[in-house]
Amino acid sequence: MWRCLVCGYVHDGENAPKNCPKCGSPQDKFEKIAKEDEDKILRSRFSNDLHMQLSAQLDVVLDIAEAGIEDDLDPGCVVVFKKAKEEALIIKQMIKAEIGTHISKGKWS
Ligand SMILES: [Zn+2]
């Protein structure tokens, strides 16, 4: 892996790209990423991907909860769907906060 020293873009490959796809800097602006840092990047990619998958599933929960609230069969049903909506929104915000800390610690590449 190679990192663009200008913009931080990470390239996967044997060699650095001719130009940075993000900022256009030439190949000599890329530095080789150390093996242990590569492992950290792969590890955090996996974790961030899980967060994104979970967030996508919560969007499904939100759609179902909305439909249930709208259906409004009886008060007991609405309580369940409102609770599901509330919790899904909280977890989604927690995911955003968590990914935010990964980015600030440079764990997002
Ligand atoms: Zn760049």
Side-chain angles (χ1 to χ4, degrees), residues 35-97:
K35 180 80 184 79
E36 57 172 271
D37 290 337
E38 274 191 15
D39 292 343
K40 277 186 216 157
I41 289 169
L42 291 172
R43 183 67 193 77
S44 67
R45 272 183 190 170
F46 177 70
S47 178
N48 287 333
D49 189 50
L50 289 178
H51 281 294
M52 301 307 280
Q53 286 183 48
L54 184 56
S55 187
Q57 293 303 308
L58 289 166
D59 286 335
V60 176
V61 171
L62 286 172
D63 285 347
I64 294 168
E66 285 294 349
I69 292 164
E70 203 173 303
D71 181 45
D72 195 16
L73 177 65
D74 60 52
C77 289
V78 174
V79 167
V80 172
F81 292 124
K82 280 190 172 165
K83 181 76 178 161
K85 182 182 171 181
E86 233 176 74
E87 296 294 329
L89 288 172
I90 289 169
I91 298 168
K92 273 179 69 83
Q93 289 307 114
M94 289 168 70
I95 290 168
K96 282 182 202 162

Side-chain angles (χ1 to χ4, degrees), residues 4-9 20-25 29-30:
C4 174
L5 294 171
V6 176
C7 73
Y9 177 86
C20 177
K22 183 162 177 276
C23 72
S25 291
K29 292 290 178 196
F30 276 83

